[in-house]
């Protein structure tokens, strides 16, 4: 207590050169054991940059979204395949193996919203993709790579949750049934049982649209951020009922993205107030406020080794190493 | 005369004769031995009548004869010091008062450094150590045979109390430790206690006794300033003794009551000081205050109004003592009324030192804590009237401590006196004094308070860990059990999160004119605030643009009101105004000084003007200002994200450079002080003279010489500061002259704050005007000022004023020395 607090940390390094606002970030573990992972970033101008964290330079630039903002990036475990979602209503599947960067497939989306997709890949050749669907409040589940629409999750008529804003597919260890967490425009978070196409539970966490959520499936506990000033922490009990466990008030409203570090010890939020906030995941104790960016922070991403990358409207990507993983 | 009497007389005569003529040791020994019969206590002692006669008539004569014989040869007449032993036994066993008087007399009479003197002094020390002093005093207490001879008692009293002084004077460096006051008076206290014990015992036995001699001894010792030594021994013992015994209490009360009036104050003060609390004091003194007029005067007036040397525990004992008995409570009420009256008197506020005001205030709070609601209600109107008058005149004062005292007492007292009315609430800063005073206002805990508090602490401390765990396992934590492995996460130390502040969405204007527009016309409060925050930086960045609109800006800023709750609004506005003034000093200063005497400004605004002028002058006169000017406009840290990073980075680089650099020699490392002409030089007149122009012309809303003395005080301070900042300027001499005239006109002002300002202004003149010019141009004013300063240094009721006057006088002295030094070679 007596010691003065540590001065605010500095980024480990900063990546410049995206040349437009960064809207999506994703760490791609170097597939063939190349040492340090690659960092993928998606920009407002529709480009996907692949950064080497070793040389801190762009390795490759992918242009597949016709100048429209790239909102979501995700790699698949089997083979170096990349999914990129753009506001041109296309979801592209890229093959990055052996230095290739070609679109191998693409899915046409039917929603103009900002909702990012989600993937559930169990290491098999087949994987499940959740994207916003045709109706404004629908979520569409596709089986990939065959692109067959499995179902469309449509809330009951009287619920009126508005558009889905963020999605997360996951699967409990104990059961094979895929589950989907969706944050809606009215500030509620709903848990869908995909196979039965039913809402298991729905809880109102916020009064503004849910902008981002992340879920810790081991502790059955998740966190969501919205356009308002609070973070909500909720948990899932054995009856698969969501329950708000607590809220945490921030200084400024607006959370664009929220991620829990893979080792489940800290979490980071991307704030509209240009700040990235780091919390202790178990206690939600605030640990740091990273005030580096000079524009809205759009996305945060954690690497498996604990590295944190943040992308902002100031066209910079900053990389931080905080509270090393053990 | 009957034959027995003659027999005693004959024996004594014979003995005296033998002593004076004989050289035969054996014969003297026999003679002395025969006389010892009369002292009793031997197997073949004389008849009681004979003993009594010997003691009454012959004993002192005989002792004097013994003293006269004392010499080394005489003592050698018998071997092994038998003679000396025998000799001393007469002093130690005979009637104590006479022996004591003869001892003292012979010590007084003996030649200064002599064998006899030392022998007598040693004997006296022995006399004291065997407790004969108690016997001396006891003798005076048991005067069954008629009243004591007053002259003898008086002599004894003087000798008993004056013993350390006498011995100290006689023996000088050879003095014995027993006679040091710090040893003697505690001993005297012990002896008094022993006598008291005897008195109590004899009272139990049905014998009459008088303690008045003891009271006189006590009184005299206290008047000699030995309260601590005597009462330090007496009071704790008496406290114990009186606890269970009524007789002891009565004796104790008697002891205090019989203290003569001239010693009452000293004794009572000693008792109040030595008693550990009001209960003890009440037990020891009884209802003394109702019986003795003098005691009442001392307790209810002298210690409360005329002195302010009592410590807070003393004051609490004193007032608690008054509160403990129904007969005394009326005195407490009376005291409270008088205290409040004193507290409220406006002339007292002006002429009484602050320490005493504080003392009176504390006494009031203690009184209030002791008095019950019903009692207060009986004299509610009277109390309220003096309270309100006091509050009013105190809040008018320009000295912050006086105001604060007013606020605290007003809050507490109004809540007690008038509990049904709306509570008064003031804003004042908490500090040591306020906390102490508020603690005094709490009702005193009973004697067994602490023991109650003891156990009540235990459960609290037992609870805390539980509560802590509850906090930690707060609502946000998920199912238990799975997080035990993550306990080590607690070592995650948070970083400094001071950068986490509310974001301002509105864009601040980028030009000075934009700010001006935003501040005047804008209904968008965020923009208004952003403009205010940005303005200072903009002014420093673009002085040319500022100069175009400087007066307008000053006007806007001067009239700016805090329409939304902007954190640090006053500071922001002031800094910005200072920035404008510094950028365009002549015009803005002219405008501001004109506004100072204009109609329709609040006192706050007028004082702001003064502050801004001072700060701007300070900035202008700072040497090397131009090189560093941009640093002043401290930018909002939020707008420059990298800003906080720089120092750490710079430290790293500097450290690296330092490591890799080899120094062959250490030159002067310190940077040369910045030098440059005083920029204040050319504009000082604009700042200074207009302020002096109209101070004696009252406006409808603004009367410097009347009620607005606070502003006058501030004006005096400001003028002093401007004078001081005008050092090394050409205009300093006329400024000094004008300022001394101003000071002269106001030198007898009643307000201490104004006088302080004037005094500091004089010092500023002495510091800023060159010595030669002072003597050439300002000689008369200086002489006048000097006599005034001398007066103030001696007589002013305000401590700070005296101090400032002394400082000014010292400056004058220094000036004189410098001139002497110049003229001497």
């Amino acid at each position: 207590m007596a010691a003065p607090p540590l001065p605010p940390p500095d980024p480990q390094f900063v990546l410049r050169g995206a040349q437009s606002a960064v809207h999506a970030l994703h760490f791609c573990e170097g597939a063939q054991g190349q040492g340090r992972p690659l960092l993928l970033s998606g920009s407002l101008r529709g480009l996907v940059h692949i950064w080497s964290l070793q040389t801190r330079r762009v390795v490759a630039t992918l242009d597949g979204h016709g100048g429209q903002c790239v909102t979501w990036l995700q790699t698949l475990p089997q083979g170096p395949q990349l999914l990129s979602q753009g506001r041109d209503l296309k979801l592209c599947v890229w093959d990055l193996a052996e230095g290739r960067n070609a679109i191998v497939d693409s899915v046409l989306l039917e929603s103009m919203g900002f909702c990012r997709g989600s993937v559930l890949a169990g290491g098999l050749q087949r994987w499940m993709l959740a994207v916003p669907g045709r109706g404004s409040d629908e979520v569409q589940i596709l089986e990939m790579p065959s692109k067959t629409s499995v179902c469309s999750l449509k809330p009951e008529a009287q619920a009126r949750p508005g558009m889905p804003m963020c999605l997360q597919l996951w699967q409990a260890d104990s059961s094979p049934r895929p589950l989907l967490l969706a944050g809606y425009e009215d500030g509620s978070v709903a848990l869908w049982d995909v196979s039965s196409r039913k809402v298991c539970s729905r809880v109102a966490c916020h009064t503004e649209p849910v902008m981002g959520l992340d879920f810790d499936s081991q502790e059955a506990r998740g966190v969501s951020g919205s356009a308002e000033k609070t973070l909500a922490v909720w948990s899932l009990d054995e009856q698969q009922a969501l329950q708000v466990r607590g809220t945490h008030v921030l200084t400024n409203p607006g959370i664009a993205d929220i991620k829990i570090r893979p080792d489940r010890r800290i979490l980071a939020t991307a704030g509209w107030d240009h700040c990235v906030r780091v919390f202790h995941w178990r206690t939600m104790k605030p640990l740091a406020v990273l005030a580096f960016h000079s524009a809205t922070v759009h996305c945060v991403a954690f690497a498996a080794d604990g590295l944190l990358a943040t992308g902002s409207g100031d066209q910079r990507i900053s990389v931080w190493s905080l509270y090393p993983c053990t | 005369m009957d034959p027995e009497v003659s027999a005693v007389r004959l024996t004594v005569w014979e003995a005296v004769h033998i002593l004076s003529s004989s050289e035969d040791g054996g014969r003297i020994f026999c003679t002395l031995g025969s006389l010892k019969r009369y002292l009793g206590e031997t197997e073949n002692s004389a008849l009681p009548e004979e003993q009594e006669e010997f003691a009454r008539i012959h004993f002192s004569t005989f002792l004097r004869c013994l003293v006269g014989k004392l010499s080394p040869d005489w003592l050698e007449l018998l071997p092994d010091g038998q003679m000396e032993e025998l000799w001393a036994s007469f002093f130690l066993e005979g009637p104590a008062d006479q022996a004591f008087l003869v001892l003292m007399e012979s010590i007084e009479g003996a030649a200064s450094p002599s064998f006899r003197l030392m022998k007598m002094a040693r004997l006296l020390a022995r006399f004291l150590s065997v407790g004969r002093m108690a016997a001396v005093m006891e003798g005076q207490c048991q005067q069954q045979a008629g009243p004591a001879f007053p002259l003898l008692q008086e002599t004894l009293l003087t000798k008993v109390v004056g013993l350390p002084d006498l011995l100290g004077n006689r023996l000088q460096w050879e003095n014995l430790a027993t006679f040091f006051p710090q040893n003697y008076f505690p001993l005297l206290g012990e002896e008094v206690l022993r006598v008291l014990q005897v008195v109590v015992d004899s009272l139990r036995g049905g014998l009459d006794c008088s303690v008045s001699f003891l009271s006189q001894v006590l009184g005299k010792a206290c008047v000699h300033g030995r309260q601590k030594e005597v009462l330090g021994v007496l009071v704790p013992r008496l406290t114990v003794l009186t606890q269970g015994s009524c007789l002891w209490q009565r004796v104790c009360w008697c002891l205090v009551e019989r203290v003569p009036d001239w010693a009452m104050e000293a004794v009572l003060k000693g008792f109040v000081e030595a008693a550990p609390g009001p209960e003890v004091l009440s037990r020891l003194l009884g209802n003394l205050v109702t019986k003795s007029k003098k005691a009442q005067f001392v307790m209810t007036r002298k210690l409360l109004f005329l002195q302010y040397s009592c410590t807070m525990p003393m004051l609490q004992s004193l007032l608690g003592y008054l509160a403990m008995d129904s007969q005394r409570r009326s005195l407490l009420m009376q005291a409270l009324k008088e205290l409040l009256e004193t507290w409220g008197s406006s002339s007292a506020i002006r002429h009484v030192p602050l320490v005493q005001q504080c003392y009176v205030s504390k006494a009031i709070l203690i009184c209030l804590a002791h008095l019950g609601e019903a009692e207060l209600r009986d004299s509610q109107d009277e109390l309220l009237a003096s309270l309100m008058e006091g509050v009013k005149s105190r809040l008018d004062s320009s000295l912050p401590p006086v105001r604060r005292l007013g606020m605290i007492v007003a809050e507490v007292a109004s809540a007690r006196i008038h509990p049904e009315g709306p509570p008064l609430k003031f804003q004042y800063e908490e500090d040591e004094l306020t906390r102490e005073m508020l603690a005094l206002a709490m009702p005193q805990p009973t004697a067994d308070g602490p023991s109650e508090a003891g156990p009540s602490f235990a459960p609290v401390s037992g609870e805390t860990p539980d509560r802590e765990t509850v906090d930690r396992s707060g609502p946000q934590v998920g199912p238990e059990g799975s997080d035990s492995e993550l306990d080590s996460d607690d070592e995650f130390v948070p970083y400094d999160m001071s950068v986490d502040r509310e974001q301002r969405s509105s864009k601040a204007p980028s030009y000075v004119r934009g700010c001006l527009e935003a501040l005047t016309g804008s209904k968008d409060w965020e923009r208004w605030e952003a403009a205010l925050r940005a303005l200072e930086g903009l002014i420093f960045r673009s002085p040319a643009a500022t100069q175009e609109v400087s007066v307008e800006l000053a006007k806007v800023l001067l009239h700016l009101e805090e329409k939304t709750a902007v954190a640090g609004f006053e500071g922001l506005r002031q800094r910005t105004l200072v920035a404008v003034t510094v950028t365009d000093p002549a015009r803005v200063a002219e405008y501001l000084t004109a506004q100072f005497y204009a109609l329709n400004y609040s006192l706050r605004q007028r004082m702001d003007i003064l502050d801004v002028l001072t700060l701007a002058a300070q900035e202008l006169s700072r040497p090397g200002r131009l090189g560093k000017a941009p640093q002043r406009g401290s930018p909002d840290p939020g707008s420059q994200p990298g800003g906080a990073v720089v120092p750490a980075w710079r430290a790293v680089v500097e450290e690296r450079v330092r490591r890799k650099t080899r120094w062959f020699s250490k030159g002067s490392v310190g940077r040369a002080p910045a030098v440059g002409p005083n920029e204040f030089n050319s504009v000082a007149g604009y700042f200074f003279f207009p302020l002096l122009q109209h101070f004696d012309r009252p406006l409808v809303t603004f009367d410097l010489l009347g009620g607005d003395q606070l502003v006058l005080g501030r004006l005096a301070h400001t003028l002093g500061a401007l004078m001081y900042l005008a050092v090394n300027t050409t205009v300093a001499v006329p400024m000094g002259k004008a300022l001394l005239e101003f000071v002269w006109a106001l030198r007898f002002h009643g307000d201490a704050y104004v006088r302080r300002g004037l005094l500091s202004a004089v010092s500023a003149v002495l510091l800023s005007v060159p010595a030669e010019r002072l003597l050439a141009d300002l000689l008369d004013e200086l002489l006048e000022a000097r006599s005034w300063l001398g007066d103030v240094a001696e007589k002013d009721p305000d401590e700070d004023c005296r101090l400032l006057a002394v400082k000014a006088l010292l400056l004058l002295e220094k000036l004189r020395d410098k001139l002497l030094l110049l003229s001497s070679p």
Side-chain angles (χ1 to χ4, degrees):
Chain A
M1 271 291 132
L6 300 166
D10 299 328
Q12 199 174 38
F13 53 87
V14 180
L15 302 175
R16 295 180 178 81
Q19 292 182 338
S20 64
V22 179
H23 277 259
L25 281 173
H26 183 72
F27 280 99
C28 167
E29 308 306 326
Q32 287 86 33
Q34 292 161 347
R36 301 200 72 164
L38 299 171
L39 177 64
L40 309 171
S41 75
S43 74
L44 183 67
R45 296 223 189 120
L47 298 182
V48 175
H49 298 278
I50 303 176
W51 306 82
S52 159
L53 293 182
Q54 210 141 32
T55 62
R56 301 175 189 175
R57 295 285 185 276
V58 177
V59 177
T61 307
L62 315 178
D63 182 5
H65 289 281
Q68 300 281 323
C69 179
V70 177
T71 58
W72 180 54
L73 292 169
Q74 175 74 45
T75 50
L76 296 175
Q78 64 275 21
Q81 278 198 329
L82 168 71
L83 299 183
S84 69
Q85 180 187 0
R87 303 243 24 230
D88 59 346
L89 304 186
K90 240 167 64 180
L91 194 143
C92 302
V93 184
W94 303 78
D95 181 10
L96 301 181
E98 295 156 351
R100 283 193 291 267
N101 41 28
I103 298 174
V104 291
D105 203 350
S106 71
V107 180
L108 277 179
L109 303 176
E110 287 161 289
S111 162
M112 279 293 285
F114 290 86
C115 183
R116 294 167 176 172
S118 179
V119 157
L120 182 66
L124 307 166
Q125 280 305 307
R126 283 151 31 126
W127 39 280
M128 188 181 278
L129 174 70
V131 289
R134 178 180 302 156
S136 70
D137 53 357
E138 277 176 29
V139 178
Q140 198 179 14
I141 306 289
L142 300 169
E143 196 185 67
M144 299 294 281
S146 62
K147 296 199 275 183
T148 41
S149 174
V150 175
C151 59
S152 154
L153 305 177
K154 192 172 164 58
E156 290 165 31
Q158 71 269 26
R160 293 182 187 282
M163 287 195 286
M165 303 298 291
C166 47
L167 306 170
Q168 181 151 5
L169 277 170
W170 61 284
Q171 201 167 16
D173 294 338
S174 49
S175 86
R177 298 166 79 89
L179 297 166
L180 172 75
L181 278 164
Y184 284 98
E185 200 180 353
D186 69 344
S188 63
V189 172
L191 177 73
W192 288 88
D193 184 339
V194 175
S195 341
S196 62
R197 299 169 208 181
K198 284 261 168 50
V199 177
C200 300
S201 164
R202 185 163 157 239
V203 64
C205 300
H206 303 278
T207 53
E208 298 280 333
V210 181
M211 302 302 294
L213 63 82
D214 202 358
F215 187 71
D216 172 359
S217 58
Q218 288 195 31
E219 284 192 47
R221 207 155 64 91
V223 60
S224 60
S226 80
E228 61 184 3
K229 263 187 170 177
T230 51
L231 294 181
V233 179
W234 27 266
S235 68
L236 197 60
D237 61 14
E238 287 78 29
Q239 282 77 45
Q240 306 222 310
L242 287 169
Q243 241 177 334
V244 176
R245 304 303 295 243
T247 54
H248 182 89
V249 179
L250 305 169
T251 317
N252 291 309
I255 289 297
D257 195 7
I258 191 161
K259 286 276 165 33
I260 301 170
R261 197 164 77 179
D263 69 349
R264 301 182 294 117
R265 295 179 71 179
I266 60 174
L267 73 105
T269 66
W272 292 358
D273 61 348
H274 315 175
C275 290
V276 173
R277 292 186 165 72
V278 179
F279 297 86
H280 188 258
W281 170 225
R282 190 159 57 83
T283 62
M284 286 306 281
K285 180 170 89 168
L287 291 177
V289 176
L290 312 178
F292 169 78
H293 291 288
S294 55
T296 304
V297 184
H298 290 299
C299 48
V300 290
F302 279 108
D305 64 354
L307 218 53
L308 166 68
T310 65
S312 152
D314 63 1
Q315 311 187 354
R316 294 184 289 185
I317 301 166
S318 54
V319 181
W320 311 72
S321 175
L322 304 171
Y323 303 107
C325 283
T326 47
Chain B
M1 287 230 162
D2 49 40
E4 284 90 347
V5 175
S6 321
V8 176
R9 177 168 296 184
L10 279 176
T11 324
V12 173
W13 277 348
E14 195 191 332
V16 169
H17 181 73
I18 291 169
L19 276 176
S20 52
S21 59
S22 173
E23 296 288 318
D24 180 358
R27 194 156 167 226
I28 295 174
F29 190 74
C30 289
T31 317
L32 291 179
S34 70
L35 275 180
K36 269 207 100 169
R37 290 171 50 232
Y38 294 114
L39 296 181
E41 291 159 24
T42 49
E43 57 275 17
N44 56 344
S45 52
L47 302 166
E49 307 88 68
E50 283 182 343
Q51 285 189 21
E52 216 235 280
E53 192 199 339
F54 177 73
R56 197 151 48 86
I57 302 174
H58 307 293
F59 187 58
S60 353
T61 331
F62 175 66
L63 284 182
R64 281 191 193 104
C65 174
L66 275 181
V67 170
K69 280 315 287 175
L70 188 65
S71 70
D73 299 342
W74 192 76
L75 290 180
E76 299 287 302
L77 288 178
L78 280 178
D80 304 337
Q82 287 177 44
M83 186 63 99
E84 188 174 357
E85 200 47 46
L86 192 62
W87 171 77
S89 68
F90 278 95
F91 289 92
L92 298 176
E93 288 161 25
D97 48 351
Q98 292 185 47
F100 179 67
L101 282 179
V102 172
L103 268 174
M104 294 301 281
E105 188 187 294
S106 59
I107 286 172
E108 258 175 285
S112 187
S114 67
F115 174 76
R116 183 180 293 176
L117 182 62
M118 282 320 289
K119 273 284 168 224
M120 301 307 293
R122 295 250 157 70
L123 184 58
L124 183 59
R126 225 175 124 194
F127 183 85
L128 291 179
S129 67
V130 296
R132 292 304 281 171
M133 189 53 95
V136 173
M137 292 190 282
E138 203 185 312
Q140 297 304 311
C141 291
Q142 290 172 330
Q143 298 286 347
Q144 299 99 332
F149 184 44
L151 202 62
L152 174 74
Q153 228 178 32
E154 184 71 43
T155 320
L156 258 182
L157 182 65
T158 320
K159 297 271 152 89
V160 167
V161 178
L163 185 140
D165 297 340
L166 184 81
L167 269 291
N169 281 334
R170 294 301 297 156
L171 295 174
Q172 308 272 349
W173 294 105
E174 257 99 80
N175 203 357
L176 305 176
T178 324
F179 305 132
F180 292 166
Q182 63 268 35
N183 299 329
Y184 175 72
F185 283 103
L187 181 108
L188 191 63
E190 296 278 356
E191 301 290 79
V192 168
L193 210 65
R194 279 174 53 190
V195 180
L196 282 176
Q197 182 69 56
V198 171
V199 167
V200 168
D201 288 346
S202 58
L203 283 177
R204 282 214 183 96
L207 283 175
D208 260 357
C209 272
S210 143
V211 290
S212 72
F213 184 71
L214 290 181
S215 304
Q216 286 182 35
V217 169
L218 201 61
K220 191 131 188 157
C222 288
V223 167
H224 280 216
R226 299 294 170 186
Q227 293 110 320
K228 272 217 182 72
E229 284 94 348
V230 179
L231 294 177
V233 173
L234 263 182
V235 169
R237 299 286 305 279
L238 283 175
T239 308
V240 177
L241 287 169
T242 51
Q243 194 139 35
S245 159
C246 274
L247 194 59
W248 264 106
Q249 271 192 28
R250 289 251 317 280
V251 169
C252 190
W253 294 351
C254 224
L255 179 70
V256 195
E257 268 167 47
R258 297 283 167 79
V259 170
D261 277 357
W262 47 266
M264 191 56 101
E265 183 193 342
V267 173
L268 282 181
K269 210 171 164 192
F271 264 98
V272 172
E273 198 174 353
E279 300 84 15
V280 173
L281 199 60
S282 175
R283 211 159 64 213
L284 295 183
L285 299 186
N287 270 336
L288 179 68
V289 278
T290 52
K291 291 180 199 151
S292 156
K293 274 254 174 298
K294 178 73 182 179
Q296 184 176 348
F297 173 75
V298 169
M299 295 289 260
T300 60
R301 296 205 58 91
K302 193 136 191 188
L303 292 182
L304 293 180
F305 297 99
L306 306 180
Q307 297 184 347
Y308 49 99
S309 55
C310 293
T311 58
M312 275 311 108
M314 282 170 74
L315 199 56
Q316 276 182 329
S317 291
L318 170 65
L319 294 169
Y321 160 74
L322 290 180
M324 285 198 74
D325 189 279
S326 55
Q327 286 184 320
R328 291 178 239 143
R329 272 189 100 86
S330 62
L331 288 177
L332 183 65
M333 195 66 217
Q334 188 59 35
L336 175 61
K337 280 181 196 163
E338 284 170 16
L339 278 170
L340 264 179
E341 209 168 296
T342 313
W343 186 80
S345 131
S346 60
S347 108
I349 293 172
R350 235 176 296 137
H351 295 115
V352 166
L354 190 65
V355 193
Q356 189 172 1
Q357 296 191 27
C358 198
Y359 182 82
V360 169
S361 308
K362 286 175 180 171
I364 291 177
L365 295 186
I366 298 175
C367 280
L368 284 171
H370 281 299
L371 283 168
E373 222 158 83
E375 289 163 296
L376 289 172
R377 186 158 307 130
D378 287 343
S379 26
Q380 194 183 42
D381 294 339
E382 199 180 333
L383 292 176
L384 263 188
S386 22
L387 175 71
M388 284 312 155
E389 197 188 334
V391 172
K392 183 180 155 295
S393 35
R394 254 152 218 283
L395 291 183
D396 274 349
S397 166
S398 41
L399 300 179
V402 176
R403 286 203 294 273
R404 189 126 51 98
L405 276 183
M407 294 177 193
I408 299 170
V409 174
E411 267 183 21
V412 176
S414 68
R416 290 302 315 279
I417 298 174
H418 197 242
E420 59 272 16
L424 281 179
K425 187 76 201 148
F426 294 99
Q427 289 184 328
Y428 49 83
E429 285 158 30
E430 283 250 322
D431 67 353
E432 204 60 33
L433 179 71
T434 52
R435 271 191 292 274
E436 189 192 339
M437 295 197 60
L438 291 178
L440 286 180
M442 296 292 130
Q444 293 299 305
T446 48
D448 49 6
S451 60
E452 277 173 31
S456 75
F457 265 104
V460 171
S461 56
E463 245 167 41
T464 19
D466 297 24
R467 196 184 302 152
E468 214 165 289
T469 48
V470 168
D471 280 349
R472 192 168 304 159
S473 65
Q476 295 153 357
V477 174
E480 287 86 359
S482 60
D483 37 296
S484 54
E485 45 167 331
L486 296 172
D487 275 349
S488 59
D489 292 0
D490 292 338
E491 74 215 29
F492 283 2
V493 183
Y495 289 97
D496 179 20
M497 274 174 283
S498 55
V499 288
D500 189 14
R501 63 184 75 187
E502 294 221 14
Q503 199 188 14
R504 327 226 156 258
S505 56
S506 187
K507 274 269 177 270
S510 323
Y511 299 98
V512 174
R513 275 177 193 278
C515 284
L516 195 58
E517 269 164 37
L519 286 178
T520 47
S522 177
K523 288 275 173 282
D524 176 359
W525 296 122
E526 284 189 354
R527 187 173 153 77
W528 181 85
E529 189 184 331
L532 183 59
R533 288 188 189 282
L535 190 51
E536 192 196 359
L538 287 176
I539 289 171
F540 279 118
R541 244 169 283 152
S542 49
T546 308
Q547 275 164 9
E548 287 169 23
V549 289
S550 58
V551 175
E552 257 174 276
L553 255 181
K555 195 181 202 166
V556 168
L557 286 168
L558 189 60
H559 291 86
L560 207 60
E561 280 169 29
E562 189 177 6
K563 286 175 183 154
T564 55
V566 178
F569 172 80
E570 288 300 332
L572 263 178
R573 183 171 80 132
Q574 191 181 57
R575 280 208 306 277
T576 317
L577 254 176
V578 169
V580 177
T581 318
V582 168
T583 314
D584 192 7
R587 269 186 292 171
V588 176
E590 202 176 355
Y591 169 77
L592 286 179
T593 49
Q595 298 311 301
F596 180 72
Y597 286 111
L599 276 170
N600 296 334
Y601 278 97
S602 67
L603 295 187
R604 178 72 252 164
Q605 280 168 317
R606 291 187 210 270
M607 298 216 275
D608 277 349
I609 291 178
L610 293 177
D611 288 348
V612 165
L613 287 173
T614 313
L615 289 171
Q618 190 178 11
E619 178 63 21
L620 283 170
S621 65
R622 192 158 61 88
R625 186 181 79 83
L626 289 182
K628 292 182 194 163
Q631 277 188 3
R632 283 269 307 169
S634 59
D636 192 358
S639 68
Q640 204 179 7
V645 184
V646 174
W649 160 84
R650 178 163 294 161
V652 169
V653 171
E654 274 170 7
E655 167 66 14
R656 209 172 282 167
V657 168
R658 203 180 55 73
R659 259 209 323 257
K660 303 236 166 121
T661 313
R662 196 185 297 166
W663 297 91
F664 293 103
S665 66
K666 289 253 176 182
S668 64
V669 191
R671 231 183 298 165
V675 285
N678 189 344
E679 267 185 88
F680 189 46
N681 184 15
S682 52
V683 290
Y686 291 105
F687 282 70
F688 186 81
F689 291 110
L691 285 183
L692 274 177
Q693 264 166 5
H694 300 288
F695 74 93
D696 47 358
R697 269 170 250 172
L699 299 176
V700 185
T701 53
F702 184 48
D703 181 9
L704 269 182
L705 297 184
D708 296 323
Q709 53 196 14
L710 178 64
V711 185
L712 183 64
R714 195 66 84 87
L715 175 66
H717 278 100
T718 305
L719 290 170
L722 290 176
M723 183 70 233
Y724 177 68
L725 293 169
V727 68
N728 301 332
T729 60
T730 47
V731 78
V733 180
M735 273 170 79
K737 201 173 172 75
L739 191 52
L740 283 182
E741 272 164 21
F742 172 78
V743 170
W744 190 244
L746 291 173
R747 67 194 183 283
F748 293 128
H749 200 278
D751 190 80
Y753 184 65
V754 175
R755 286 201 305 277
R756 283 185 207 172
L758 298 178
L759 289 164
S760 59
V762 173
S763 294
V765 172
L766 294 175
L767 285 170
S768 287
V769 181
E772 311 81 59
R773 300 300 304 277
L774 266 180
L775 281 215
D777 299 358
L778 301 176
L779 193 58
D780 293 344
E781 286 90 341
L782 224 52
L783 286 176
E784 282 169 340
R786 191 192 161 133
S787 61
W788 172 61
L789 286 175
D791 264 12
V792 173
E794 279 175 24
K795 296 178 194 152
D796 202 283
D798 188 74
E799 197 184 335
D800 281 359
C801 281
R802 290 197 299 270
L803 202 68
L804 283 168
V806 170
K807 279 184 185 163
L809 281 174
L810 281 178
L811 281 176
L812 264 175
E813 285 288 304
K814 227 164 106 185
L815 207 67
R816 208 191 56 183
D817 294 350
K818 205 165 33 169
L819 282 176
L820 286 180
L821 213 68
L822 281 178
S823 58
S824 59

